[in-house]
Amino acid sequence: MHISIGAEFRKNRFGQVGLILLTAITVLALLAPFVVPVDPHRQTRRSFEPPSALHILGTNHVGQDNWSRLVHGARTSLLVGFLVACAATIIGAVLGVSCALRGGLYDGIMMRLVDALIIIPAIIILILVFAYLKPDIYLIIISIALLSWAGGARILRAQTLTFKERAHIWAARSFGGNNWYVMRRHIVPDLSPILVVEFIHAFRRGIFMEAGLAFLGIGDSTTVSWGTIMRNAVEYSYMNVWSWWLLPVGLALSIAILSLTFIGHTLEPVMEPRLREEASA
Amino acid sequence: MIARLRLYVVGFFAAVLLCCVIPPKRIAWAKPLTYTIADTTGDWGFPSPYRSYPRGPGYLRMSFLFDTMTWKNKEGEVLPALARRWEYLDDENAYVFELNKSATWHDGTAFTADDVAFTVQYRKTYPMAWIDPKIIEKAVPIDPHTVKLVLSEKYAPFLINVAGTMPILPRHIWENVTDPRTFGTEKALVGTGPFNLLDYDKAQGSYLYEANRAYYGGTPKVDRLKVIKFSTEMVAAALRQGQVDAGSIPPDLAEGMKQAGFQVIRAPYGWHLKLVMNHREPPLNEKNFRQALAYAIDRQALVEITQRGHAVAGNPGFVPPDSSWYNPQVTAYPFDLDRAKALLQGLGCEVRDGKVFRGEASLKLEMLSQPRFKEVGLFVKEQLERLGIEIDIRSLESKTLDFKVLHWQFQLAISGHGGLYEPSFLKRGILDEDFNSVRYRRNQELTKLVNAQLAEMHPEKRKEIVFHIQELYAEDLPNLPLYYPNWYWAHNGLLELFYTRNGVALGIPIPLNKLVFIEKR
Amino acid sequence: MIRRNVPTYIAALLIILGVNFILPRMMPGDPLMAIYGEEALVAMTPGLKIYLLQSFALDKPLWLQFLAYICQIAHGNLGFSYYYNAPTLEVILGRLPWTLLLVGCALILSATLGVFLGIESGWRRGKGLDRSMLSTFMALSGFPGFFVGMVLLLLFGVSLRLFPLSGALTPYSGLSGLALLLDIVMHLALPVSALTLGNLAANYLLTRNTMVTVLKEPYVFCARAKGLPERTIRYRHAGRNALLPVVTRTGIWLGRIVTGTLFIEVIFGYPGLGGLTYQALLSRDYVVLQGILLVVALLVLLVNFGIDLLYIRIDPRIRHAH
C-alpha cells in the first residue's frame, strides 16, 4: 500500500532486533557446511561430552556434535517454515481473494470452511494423520500448510472487499478487465503488505509446528530437526547435560520464533486501522 | 511413715517390673510398612488373569494375587508353591501333584484339586496368554489334594512354562463366567497369592496391594505394596528423593547410583536386537551373503557407539552369552571387512570403486528400521556402505514393521524380542509362524534338533542338543543377533530384590519375583 | 468482529467427522485393521469382527458407511479401545477432568493477570514500568510453551527439588482434605506456570494495545473532565472496553491452548487428555486418537459458541444495535 515497510522498521526497535536475529539464523543455516566442523550424523564413542574445542556444545548420546546438529536443525526449521509459509500464503491469497471477487454461494461456503478451520485445533488432526501416514518431510509441510491458510484467507478477503469498491478497480473493469486481470494487476500488489504479514505468521507457525511434531516423535528421520534434538535431550535429561544440549536448541527455536513475532508485530500497523482491529480480533 | 515410704518404693519397683514383663500393646495408628516400586509405563491392565496385558509386567502384577503350582527361586530352582510335591510318571507322560493343604483363597474358601482341574478345563475353552492350552491333555483329581495332569506330548519345560506360569483360578467364582475378558469385579481378583488388591487406577497407572496375612507360603514382609508410574528420566531422581524404594534405571546411571549407596542389579541377558534378513529372496537367500554381512558389521563397535558400552555384542548362535545353555564354540564372525568382500566375490559379485556389483547393477538393499533404534540403523547402514552395499533406510513404527516382516515384505529389518531364557524359545524363534521368528526351515538337521530339544526330558542330553543347534544356527545365520542390552534395577536395600535365574515364570526379566516380599516359614 | 453462526460450527463438525472417517478407509488393506490396529484384531473373536463389520457397514458404499459412522457417534459409541480394554468414551472422559483443571487454571490466571497488567501498562504508556513490562512480555511471547515447561521442570523439579516430578497427585498418599488439595496444587504449579506464560504474554499485549487506543477515545476525556477518580476510569470505563478483544480472541486461543496443553502434559506426565493422546500415538491406538479429536473439537466448538453468546451480552454496541 502506501505505508513504507522500511519506515516502520526504522521506527520500531523490536522490529529491528527481530530482523537482525532472523538474518543471523538464516545466514548461519545457509553457511552450514562451512561453519560446521563435523558431520551431524556421524556417531562416535564420545558421548555426553561437555563443550570443548572440537565440540563447542558438546556431544549427544551417540557422540554426535551438538553444534553441527543445531545448525543443521536450523536449516530444516527454516526450510519447513518457509515452504509452509509459501504454500499457506498462496492458498490463502488465492482462495481469499477469489471469495471476495466471486461472492455468492462460493463465498458463503468458503467462509464457513475458513471459520471452521480457524477454530479446529490443528495439532490433533496432525497427530492423527501421522499416526496413519509415514512422516515424510514434504508431507509434513503440506499438512501444516493445509491447516494454516485459513487465517490469512479471511483477512485477505476482507481487504479485497474494501478494494473492490475503489475507484481504480471500477475503472479497470470498465475498460474490460476480467477478474483474473484485476486480481493480478491491481489487487495483489496492493495486498502485498498484508501478504507479507501473513507470510510471517505462517512462517512462524510452520517452525513451531514442525518442532512440536518432531518433539512428539513425528518427524522425518533422515533430517536433523530441533524438535528431535529436544526430544532426545529430554529423554536423557537425567545425565545432567541438558544445559548444553537442550538449552541451546530451545533458545535457538525461541529466538527464531521470537524474531518472527517481532517482525510480525512491526508490520501489523501497515494494515488499515479497520483491518488492524480485524486482525487483532 | 517409714513403712509408707517402703510401700511406695516397693510399689514403684513392682510397677517397673510389670511394665518390662508385659509386652507393649501394638499402637493402632502405626503407619503400614509400604514398599514403593516405580514403573515407567504405569498401566498394565486390571491384574486378573484374563485382563492383565499379556506382557511381563502385566503378568507380574497379576502374580502377586494368583499363585501357580510351582515357582522359581533366585537360583531358578523349581520350588513348591500351590503344589507341595510332584512326581513325573514317565510311562503315562503325566505329573502327579500333591497340593498344599493349608492354601486358601482370599475369600476364605479352601483350595482343592478341583480348582486345578477346573482351571485346566477352563483354559481349553478360554485360552490364556502365555500358555499353550494343548499341552495338558487332561487333569484328573485323585483326591481333594492330589491331581494328575496328563500331557499330550513330551514337553521338557513343563514344570516351569506351565506349572510355574499358569495361575490357578477359583472354581467357585469362575465356573459361571462366560466372558473372562470383561469380568472385572472384585471377585475376579480372588486368588491364593500373598497379596490382595486394594486399588488399581488405570489413568494414573498405579496399583496398591495389601498383604494377605493368611498366606500359606509365608508371611509378607511388607504391609502394603505400591506400584506407581514414573518416567524413565525421573526414576533415579525419585529414588534419590526417597519417593520410591525400587525401580529400573537407565544404564548410564548404574555407576552413579551404586556410588550413591543404592544396590544396583543387572538382569541376565534375555532380550536382544537383531538384524532380520529375508532369507527367502535373493541376494539374502545365499548363506555366504548373510555371513558376509555378519563379517562386515562390527558388533563390538556397535555396542560401544550406539549403546555407550551398555550391552554385549550379539551371539551368532542365538543364545545369550551368560546363559547356562551358551555354547562358546560357535563361529564368532569377528569384524573382518576383507573376509566379507571375499565371500561376496565368491558369490560372483565384483567390488569396484567402493561399491559391490552383481552383474551390471550395484547392490542396493532396503532396511526397515524403527525410530527407537534409529542410531543402530544408521550404524549398520554406515558399516554396510563401507563394504560397498548401498542401504536405503525406511523408518516405520514397530507395528507396521512387524506386519511387513510377518508377510515377508522386506529385505533387511531391525527389530528385537525377548524371552531368551528357556531353550524353548529356540523353537518359537526359529520355526514358529510369528513375526519374531526367523521361520527358517531349510536346514533339515537344524529343524529336527530344534524339535527334539523340546521333548528331551534328560537335561544333560538336552544341553548337548542345544549346543549343536547353536553351531548350526551360527553357520546358516538366518538372522544376525546384534546385541543384548544391559538392564538395571536400583533399590534402597530395604528388601533384597533379585533377578530370578532364567526369569520369573517362563522368563520374565524383571526382579519382581513375589518371593522377594515373603518371609518363608 | 468475528461473528460465527451455526453453519460454521456444522462445517467444523463435518470436517472433523470427515477426517476421522476418511483416514482409516484410505489406508491400504483391511479397513477394520486400519480402524483398530493389528494387535486389537488379533484379540477379537470372529463373532466380534462380523459385528463390527456390520455396524461400520464396511461392505456397503462409502456414503452409507459415513451415515453408519455418524449414527454411532450420535449414540455416544466412540468405539472400543483394545489397548485400554475399555470403551473409548470412558477412557477419554476419565482423563478429561485433569485437563480441564489444568486448562481452567491456566486460562483464568493468564486472563486475569494478563488483563490486569495490560491495563496498568497501557495506562502508563511510554513510562518506565510500561516499557520494561512490554519488553519482558514481548520477549516471553517467543518462547514455545513446551520449552518453558522443560526448563521449569529441570530447574525447579530436578535441580532444585522444589516441586514434584510428574503426575497430578501423589498416588496412595492417604492424604485428604486440605493436605490433598495442597498436594494437587504442588503438582499443578509447574505445568500451569508453563501453560500460563504463553497466553499471559499474548493477553497482556492485546489488552495493552487496546487500552492505548481506548484511552484516546472521547469518553475517557469526558470521564476525566467529570472528575472521576483515576482508578474508576482505568477499570470501569477504559478497562471494560479493553476486555472485548480479549474475549473475542479467547476462541482462537483455545486452539492454541490445546496445542500447548498437549506438550505440557507430555513433559510433566500429567494424566490428562494430552498425555492420553501421546500414549495413543505411541501405541497407534487409532480409535482413541479419533475419539480425542472428536471430543476436543466438540468442546472447543461449544466454548466458542458460548463466547459468541457472551460477546453479544458484553458489547453494548452490538446489544443496542439489535
Side-chain angles (χ1 to χ4, degrees):
Chain A
M1 259 182 48
H2 309 293
I3 298 181
S4 149
I5 293 186
E8 289 293 325
F9 270 108
R10 258 172 266 135
K11 283 192 286 178
N12 191 322
R13 206 166 29 111
F14 284 117
Q16 289 165 8
V17 171
L19 210 55
I20 294 174
L21 288 175
L22 188 64
T23 320
I25 295 183
T26 317
V27 165
L28 217 75
L30 285 174
L31 292 181
F34 306 104
V35 177
V36 149
V38 187
D39 176 7
H41 296 287
R42 200 163 79 96
Q43 299 175 138
T44 68
R45 285 175 178 76
R46 308 168 57 163
S47 33
F48 297 130
E49 276 192 7
S52 62
L54 178 59
H55 300 292
I56 314 178
L57 285 178
T59 58
N60 68 0
H61 61 301
V62 276
Q64 291 168 324
D65 180 36
N66 283 337
W67 170 246
S68 317
R69 290 178 74 78
L70 182 75
V71 176
H72 276 83
R75 292 189 123 184
T76 311
S77 288
L78 289 178
L79 185 68
V80 170
F82 183 76
L83 289 177
V84 165
C86 287
T89 315
I90 293 177
I91 299 176
V94 168
L95 290 180
V97 171
S98 61
C99 274
L101 293 181
R102 280 269 213 85
L105 188 63
Y106 174 75
D107 181 32
I109 295 182
M110 262 298 156
M111 273 305 108
R112 299 288 84 77
L113 177 69
V114 163
D115 282 339
L117 277 177
I118 293 182
I119 305 178
I120 294 174
I123 189 80
I124 309 186
I125 297 192
L126 286 169
I127 290 180
L128 185 61
V129 167
F130 288 109
Y132 279 107
L133 306 173
K134 192 168 90 80
D136 166 75
I137 194 82
Y138 295 109
L139 193 59
I140 292 178
I141 293 174
I142 296 177
S143 319
I144 301 178
L146 282 177
L147 291 166
S148 312
W149 60 267
R154 146 177 290 285
I155 294 179
L156 287 164
R157 171 184 170 276
Q159 182 72 322
T160 314
L161 280 177
T162 69
F163 283 165
K164 221 168 73 163
E165 313 305 319
R166 292 275 171 97
H168 62 284
I169 306 288
W170 272 98
R173 276 194 198 261
S174 70
F175 283 132
N178 69 4
N179 276 341
W180 274 109
Y181 175 79
V182 166
M183 201 155 86
R184 210 168 24 97
R185 287 299 305 273
H186 292 278
I187 295 188
V188 172
D190 285 341
L191 284 179
S192 32
I194 303 182
L195 281 175
V196 171
V197 176
E198 286 315 308
F199 187 84
I200 304 285
H201 281 154
F203 199 155
R204 187 174 135 206
R205 199 177 154 122
I207 294 183
F208 175 76
M209 278 295 177
E210 188 274 328
L213 286 175
F215 179 71
L216 293 177
I218 299 172
D220 191 325
S221 53
T222 53
T223 58
V224 179
S225 159
W226 281 339
T228 321
I229 300 177
M230 283 199 272
R231 180 188 171 80
N232 286 333
V234 169
E235 208 182 306
Y236 290 96
S237 57
Y238 52 83
M239 292 302 292
N240 267 325
V241 296
W242 53 274
S243 44
W244 65 78
W245 190 2
L246 176 67
L247 276 185
V249 177
L251 284 174
L253 179 65
S254 307
I255 291 177
I257 296 182
L258 203 64
S259 59
L260 286 168
T261 313
F262 285 174
I263 297 176
H265 272 286
T266 318
L267 290 178
E268 256 162 36
V270 305
M271 300 191 274
E272 282 192 289
R274 193 158 68 93
L275 255 77
R276 207 187 313 165
E277 216 181 19
E278 271 262 10
S280 57
Chain B
M1 218 190 81
I2 308 258
R4 229 190 273 171
L5 199 63
R6 221 187 300 163
L7 197 60
Y8 290 154
V9 171
V10 170
F12 174 70
F13 277 107
V16 170
L17 215 65
L18 224 62
C19 283
C20 295
V21 168
I22 300 175
K25 196 154 65 149
R26 252 183 113 205
I27 307 174
W29 58 87
K31 279 190 75 176
L33 179 60
T34 311
Y35 196 79
T36 313
I37 300 173
D39 181 88
T40 54
T41 309
D43 179 32
W44 290 99
F46 185 71
S48 174
Y50 284 93
R51 298 226 5 202
S52 61
Y53 297 163
R55 299 263 191 283
Y59 179 87
L60 290 174
R61 306 268 186 293
M62 183 268 296
S63 74
F64 294 143
L65 304 172
F66 289 84
D67 265 17
T68 53
M69 303 279 273
T70 63
W71 194 251
K72 280 193 278 190
N73 68 355
K74 178 176 181 180
E75 285 73 34
E77 296 167 331
V78 179
L79 294 183
L82 282 174
R84 215 163 50 98
R85 276 211 302 257
W86 54 87
E87 197 190 326
Y88 176 63
L89 306 175
D90 201 12
D91 46 335
E92 287 181 52
N93 193 18
Y95 282 86
V96 175
F97 289 96
E98 232 182 82
L99 304 175
N100 197 313
K101 296 198 172 83
S102 50
T104 56
W105 297 102
H106 289 152
D107 62 0
T109 325
F111 165 74
T112 64
D114 276 337
D115 294 309
V116 179
F118 167 76
T119 308
V120 171
Q121 195 49 45
Y122 195 77
R123 268 195 29 248
K124 284 196 193 281
T125 325
Y126 304 104
M128 218 186 272
W130 306 93
I131 306 152
D132 185 354
K134 298 196 299 299
I135 290 182
I136 305 182
E137 192 173 307
K138 62 176 186 261
V140 181
I142 297 179
D143 66 49
H145 295 284
T146 317
V147 67
K148 174 155 78 175
L149 297 179
V150 182
L151 306 188
S152 56
E153 58 190 23
K154 296 262 185 198
Y155 188 62
F158 177 79
L159 280 178
I160 295 174
N161 288 10
V162 183
T165 306
M166 178 175 73
I168 305 295
L169 307 168
R171 189 181 76 157
H172 60 285
I173 291 179
W174 290 76
E175 59 189 344
N176 294 319
V177 175
T178 49
D179 191 6
R181 304 214 59 203
T182 55
F183 182 39
T185 65
E186 260 176 28
K187 291 219 160 123
L189 298 168
V190 170
T192 43
F195 289 96
N196 283 310
L197 189 74
L198 274 185
D199 184 71
Y200 158 62
D201 188 326
K202 201 182 189 56
Q204 309 259 15
S206 55
Y207 296 77
L208 182 62
Y209 298 87
E210 185 183 54
N212 171 16
R213 294 280 156 209
Y215 184 57
Y216 68 93
T219 326
K221 288 186 191 166
V222 297
D223 297 308
R224 294 225 171 143
L225 191 61
K226 256 201 275 185
V227 190
I228 12 184
K229 180 173 166 186
F230 270 96
S231 63
T232 326
E233 304 92 69
M234 301 301 169
V235 174
L239 272 165
R240 283 179 198 254
Q241 292 178 22
Q243 290 180 28
V244 302
D245 295 304
S248 68
I249 52 168
D252 297 290
L253 292 179
E255 206 37 59
M257 292 301 273
K258 246 186 253 182
Q259 299 193 350
F262 289 91
Q263 312 257 16
V264 177
I265 48 179
R266 183 176 69 71
Y269 297 115
W271 190 94
H272 70 167
L273 188 70
K274 49 194 159 74
L275 179 66
V276 191
M277 306 190 254
N278 189 341
H279 49 77
R280 281 195 189 175
E281 311 254 328
L284 292 155
N285 57 352
E286 304 266 2
K287 178 173 82 172
N288 286 355
F289 190 85
R290 299 196 293 271
Q291 290 183 351
L293 293 187
Y295 278 114
I297 301 175
D298 187 351
R299 275 154 286 130
Q300 188 52 38
L302 173 73
V303 160
E304 283 167 24
I305 293 178
T306 63
Q307 305 301 310
R308 291 177 298 285
H310 301 297
V312 101
N315 169 28
F318 206 169
V319 175
D322 64 347
S323 165
S324 49
W325 304 89
Y326 172 65
N327 179 355
Q329 306 285 352
V330 300
T331 331
Y333 297 98
F335 179 56
D336 192 339
L337 213 50
D338 296 317
R339 189 129 175 220
K341 289 195 179 136
L343 277 168
L344 288 179
Q345 278 162 345
L347 285 172
C349 301
E350 258 181 69
V351 183
R352 36 168 217 272
D353 306 323
K355 283 218 175 113
V356 173
F357 285 86
R358 205 158 204 211
E360 278 306 309
S362 66
L363 209 48
K364 187 165 153 178
L365 292 174
E366 184 191 64
M367 181 165 71
L368 303 181
S369 173
Q370 298 172 46
R372 213 176 123 194
F373 303 116
K374 179 169 137 183
E375 294 89 10
V376 176
L378 201 59
F379 182 85
V380 171
K381 172 181 155 109
E382 232 176 49
Q383 298 269 284
L384 290 181
E385 284 184 344
R386 271 213 269 168
L387 177 62
I389 303 177
E390 210 182 310
I391 299 284
D392 182 26
I393 297 188
R394 268 190 73 190
S395 181
L396 301 171
E397 61 91 24
S398 68
K399 291 204 190 145
T400 320
L401 190 139
D402 290 340
F403 182 76
K404 285 202 174 294
V405 167
L406 184 64
H407 295 275
W408 299 102
Q409 294 166 6
F410 73 105
Q411 291 185 301
L412 293 173
I414 294 188
S415 81
H417 74 271
L420 303 178
Y421 288 140
E422 225 284 329
S424 44
F425 79 78
L426 287 171
K427 171 151 184 292
R428 262 202 321 272
I430 300 180
L431 300 178
D432 278 0
E433 272 307 313
D434 190 62
F435 55 80
N436 277 327
S437 164
V438 201
R439 290 162 290 167
Y440 184 71
R441 294 188 200 93
R442 272 196 287 154
N443 188 327
Q444 304 271 7
E445 198 187 344
L446 181 63
T447 312
K448 193 179 72 169
L449 287 178
V450 169
N451 281 317
Q453 59 87 20
L454 212 54
E456 178 53 62
M457 303 300 288
H458 199 277
E460 279 305 312
K461 286 210 203 127
R462 196 175 179 212
K463 189 159 176 175
E464 254 180 62
I465 301 178
V466 172
F467 265 49
H468 198 183
I469 290 177
Q470 291 174 64
E471 279 167 29
L472 293 176
Y473 193 89
E475 178 60 31
D476 276 23
L477 215 58
N479 78 6
L480 181 64
L482 290 171
Y483 65 82
Y484 309 91
N486 291 358
W487 285 347
Y488 297 95
W489 267 64
H491 64 94
N492 59 10
L494 191 61
L495 289 177
E496 271 311 305
L497 253 62
F498 57 81
Y499 277 102
T500 311
R501 191 123 193 270
N502 293 331
V504 176
L506 74 166
I508 300 173
I510 298 174
L512 291 180
N513 184 331
K514 60 184 139 186
L515 292 180
V516 168
F517 304 102
I518 301 170
E519 186 86 53
K520 280 220 171 244
R521 290 211 186 100
Chain C
M1 297 298 130
I2 294 179
R3 294 282 315 283
R4 292 174 285 265
N5 37 25
V6 178
T8 306
Y9 292 121
I10 297 187
L13 210 57
L14 279 176
I15 294 178
I16 304 277
L17 289 172
V19 167
N20 266 352
F21 176 75
I22 280 295
L23 272 173
R25 286 157 184 78
M26 262 176 19
M27 304 300 291
D30 180 13
L32 204 58
M33 178 162 84
I35 295 175
Y36 275 100
E38 167 126 8
E39 206 164 297
L41 228 64
V42 167
M44 282 187 214
T45 63
L48 183 58
K49 278 190 210 170
I50 296 179
Y51 167 73
L52 285 173
L53 262 158
Q54 283 175 344
S55 59
F56 277 111
L58 287 170
D59 44 352
K60 304 244 179 48
L62 218 60
W63 66 274
L64 268 175
Q65 291 187 31
F66 193 55
L67 248 80
Y69 178 65
I70 297 196
C71 264
Q72 282 190 337
I73 303 290
H75 281 114
N77 175 14
L78 263 71
F80 189 85
S81 163
Y82 278 86
Y83 185 79
Y84 292 96
N85 220 0
T88 311
L89 193 59
E90 192 182 294
V91 175
I92 293 178
L93 290 180
R95 312 272 282 217
L96 188 59
W98 290 113
T99 302
L100 289 178
L101 179 65
L102 187 61
V103 172
C105 288
L107 261 178
I108 294 176
L109 269 175
S110 65
T112 44
L113 261 178
V115 168
F116 171 68
L117 288 174
I119 291 180
E120 293 297 322
S121 203
W123 187 259
R124 298 180 177 75
R125 186 196 184 183
K127 301 198 202 119
L129 190 62
D130 171 47
R131 284 165 60 165
S132 49
M133 273 211 274
L134 185 62
S135 321
T136 323
F137 280 110
M138 282 289 266
L140 280 176
S141 67
F143 289 91
F146 59 95
F147 179 56
V148 175
M150 277 185 251
V151 174
L152 284 178
L153 180 62
L154 289 171
L155 205 56
F156 293 104
V158 178
S159 296
L160 295 177
R161 297 192 189 182
L162 289 173
F163 290 96
L165 301 169
S166 74
L169 44 70
T170 317
Y172 310 130
S173 50
L175 299 169
S176 62
L178 200 61
L180 183 64
L181 194 66
L182 198 65
D183 186 42
I184 295 182
V185 167
M186 286 296 277
H187 278 89
L188 264 180
L190 293 180
V192 167
S193 310
L195 205 53
T196 309
L197 227 56
N199 260 12
L200 184 64
N203 271 337
Y204 162 86
L205 288 170
L206 183 62
T207 316
R208 181 191 171 276
N209 287 343
T210 322
M211 188 75 174
V212 162
T213 326
V214 150
L215 282 175
K216 298 195 193 115
E217 298 277 329
Y219 65 86
V220 172
F221 183 70
C222 191
R224 276 222 180 91
K226 271 199 327 202
L228 287 175
E230 294 288 304
R231 254 276 205 80
T232 319
I233 305 177
R234 220 188 312 168
Y235 287 99
R236 189 113 56 90
H237 294 266
R240 173 114 60 97
N241 293 295
L243 250 178
L244 300 177
V246 175
V247 172
T248 333
R249 285 210 67 165
T250 312
I252 300 185
W253 280 331
L254 268 179
R256 266 217 242 144
I257 248 197
V258 164
T259 316
T261 315
L262 198 137
F263 291 119
I264 300 286
E265 284 192 15
V266 169
I267 295 170
F268 287 94
Y270 212 73
L273 281 184
L276 183 66
T277 313
Y278 185 56
Q279 280 170 20
L281 172 66
L282 288 178
S283 57
R284 292 301 194 268
D285 195 344
Y286 303 115
V287 190
V288 168
L289 283 174
Q290 292 189 357
I292 294 178
L293 177 60
L294 203 60
V295 169
V296 171
L298 261 167
L299 282 175
V300 169
L301 290 177
L302 273 168
V303 176
N304 272 297
F305 193 60
I307 290 182
D308 279 356
L309 294 176
L310 192 71
Y311 196 82
I312 296 178
R313 305 209 53 208
I314 292 185
D315 191 345
R317 289 176 290 181
I318 312 235
R319 208 186 326 153
H320 290 293
H322 286 256

